[in-house]
Amino acid sequence: MAKKDIDWSNLGFDYLKTDYRYVSNFKDGAWDEGEIVTDNNITMSECACVLQYAQTCFEGLKAYTTEDGRIVCFRPDLNAERMAMTAKRLEMPVFDEKRFVDAVVEVVKANEAWVPPFGSGATLYIRPYMFGINSVIGVKPASEYQFRIFTTPVGPYFKGGAKPIVITVSDFDRAAPHGTGNIKAGLNYAMSLHPIMEAHRNGFAENMYLDAATRTKVEETGGANFIFVTKDGTIVTPKSDSILPSITRRSLMTVAEDILGMKVEHREVYFDEVKDFAECGLCGTAAVISPVGKIVHGDQEIAFPSGMEEMGPTIKKLYDTLTGIQMGKIEGPEGWVKTIM
Ligand code: PLP
Ligand code: COI
């Protein structure tokens, strides 16, 4: 199939309408069979639960073209599993996990012409999401839902691609203990819009959030988990019940330990320790691994020895191995890469 005429290498992380999307509706206690449609608009009641009470959640994964011309995606079963967990916490019906993966396959196949070519630096971002669609005025969950998946070709999440970014420690909290920080609810992102705009107005690319209870421990950013490297090469990732269990972070821990033979620690990380790390990166589907060169907290500045010009050597090794697996150049653990076509 002929690819779309797009300058793939210069894409940012923006929405571009592709030809097809997947839709399934939940009504009278059951999901319908679902279908691929062309219309990217949604019509709903002014009183839809999603509009009034933000009953919405989403996922994010990517499709890649491999060197040998296949189209693959990375661990979609884990996105399905996480969306099920999110749905339960938000009193939404679970969209069957196998059907989720089948729908991802179907919508990517339909949009084959939009999947960026191998080596272009771009990928097809896949956005599954679900929301309460019927009218609800008392505070209660909807009884009707829509599950949809759209796709959009994307480049790097942060301008400058693999160049290290400067981030700041937010004065705002992202997630409360026992709150919703560990699920992918739209509300977690709504609350981050003001802090991220403040960060941008102050010249920073992202926010580091600290734990809300003590403000002494590193949590995550608005859209990625942290990964640190100690001076002796150990990988350290923050553990907390109020951060999103990143699929990229979990995969990187396996890559580091089982493939690269590195030491990995998943534990609470105090902000006071951060100045002693050698490298820092943000990891996630959109962020891949984006290196952090500097963290500013009030008048304290932490500049990592890896500098502002390029990724540190350990993060580069992790990046090359993970993206090598995702693009089919390196054999990963069984079941990680799903061939779509
Ligand atoms: N943390 C937050 C708040 C996110 O929105 C994301 C993105 O999905 C991540 C972490 C990274 O998760 P994953 O690696 O599963 O994309
Ligand atoms: C992702 O990495 O898929 C995310 O959802 C993060 C952000 C774009 C919201």
Side-chain angles (χ1 to χ4, degrees):
M1 177 186 276
K3 292 285 175 190
K4 297 285 170 181
D5 184 17
I6 289 173
D7 183 5
W8 304 105
S9 301
N10 284 310
L11 288 172
F13 198 86
D14 299 302
Y15 173 75
L16 194 61
K17 182 190 165 204
T18 58
D19 294 331
Y20 301 102
R21 58 276 303 122
Y22 177 89
V23 186
S24 178
N25 287 292
F26 181 91
K27 200 174 174 177
D28 300 327
W31 289 102
D32 68 13
E33 9 184 90
E35 59 177 340
I36 295 285
V37 301
T38 54
D39 192 357
N40 69 330
N41 292 302
I42 301 168
T43 303
M44 68 179 84
S45 161
E46 62 192 353
C47 203
C49 196
V50 59
L51 297 180
Q52 301 308 324
Y53 302 125
Q55 196 187 21
T56 180
C57 64
F58 68 99
E59 273 301 325
L61 67 160
K62 284 173 170 172
Y64 312 82
T65 304
T66 61
E67 204 162 12
D68 61 2
R70 285 174 302 134
I71 294 174
V72 301
C73 64
F74 187 68
R75 309 189 79 179
D77 51 317
L78 296 191
N79 294 96
E81 180 184 270
R82 191 169 62 190
M83 193 172 215
M85 190 176 87
T86 299
K88 286 176 194 159
R89 175 67 174 80
L90 296 177
E91 290 291 336
M92 301 169 102
V94 168
F95 191 77
D96 177 78
E97 293 179 34
K98 181 176 178 309
R99 285 194 61 194
F100 177 107
V101 174
D102 290 346
V104 165
V105 168
E106 207 182 330
V107 76
V108 172
K109 272 188 184 163
N111 288 299
E112 180 190 352
W114 297 90
V115 183
F118 176 79
S120 63
T123 52
L124 188 74
Y125 186 69
I126 305 163
R127 173 54 66 88
Y129 59 113
M130 191 199 291
F131 48 92
I133 197 167
N134 64 301
S135 309
V136 165
I137 191 71
V139 178
K140 64 175 183 187
S143 55
E144 294 175 15
Y145 293 84
Q146 199 160 91
F147 169 79
R148 301 177 70 104
I149 309 178
F150 71 76
T151 62
T152 185
V154 295
Y157 190 69
F158 294 104
K159 283 192 196 79
K163 274 255 180 201
I165 54 172
V166 182
I167 67 170
T168 186
V169 178
S170 181
D171 292 334
F172 297 94
D173 295 324
R174 174 179 178 275
H178 317 295
T180 55
N182 62 336
I183 58 163
K184 217 160 161 55
L187 61 93
N188 292 337
Y189 301 83
M191 84 77 225
S192 76
L193 298 177
H194 177 60
I196 192 63
M197 290 312 291
E198 284 285 282
H200 288 170
R201 284 188 279 268
N202 291 321
F204 302 108
E206 251 300 352
N207 280 308
M208 169 187 274
Y209 291 102
L210 300 178
D211 74 294
T214 71
R215 297 192 62 82
T216 58
K217 288 175 269 187
V218 176
E219 294 259 294
E220 60 175 330
T221 69
N225 281 184
F226 277 99
I227 179 154
F228 298 103
V229 184
T230 65
K231 289 187 176 130
D232 62 3
T234 299
I235 307 300
V236 180
T237 64
K239 186 174 186 174
S240 159
D241 290 339
S242 47
I243 68 179
L244 193 76
S246 158
I247 295 162
T248 313
R249 190 259 305 154
R250 286 181 273 162
S251 304
L252 283 169
M253 287 169 64
T254 305
V255 164
E257 199 158 26
D258 297 353
I259 300 180
L260 300 174
M262 296 172 174
K263 195 168 157 227
V264 175
E265 292 176 4
H266 183 47
R267 60 166 172 84
E268 290 188 333
V269 174
Y270 284 85
F271 183 74
D272 279 352
E273 305 175 57
V274 171
K275 62 179 185 333
D276 301 321
F277 290 128
E279 297 176 45
C280 171
L282 307 181
C283 65
T285 298
V288 193
I289 311 181
S290 302
V292 174
K294 204 186 274 185
I295 302 177
V296 178
H297 185 19
D299 46 22
Q300 181 189 9
E301 268 196 24
I302 299 171
F304 294 100
S306 48
M308 290 304 301
E309 282 311 307
E310 52 193 9
M311 281 188 190
T314 305
I315 284 191
K316 174 92 168 70
K317 218 179 277 176
L318 288 172
Y319 178 94
D320 287 345
T321 311
L322 179 74
T323 55
I325 293 170
Q326 290 170 332
M327 312 259 174
K329 279 205 283 196
I330 299 174
E331 179 102 21
E334 202 181 332
W336 277 20
V337 172
K338 181 170 181 64
T339 300
I340 291 174
M341 60 193 297

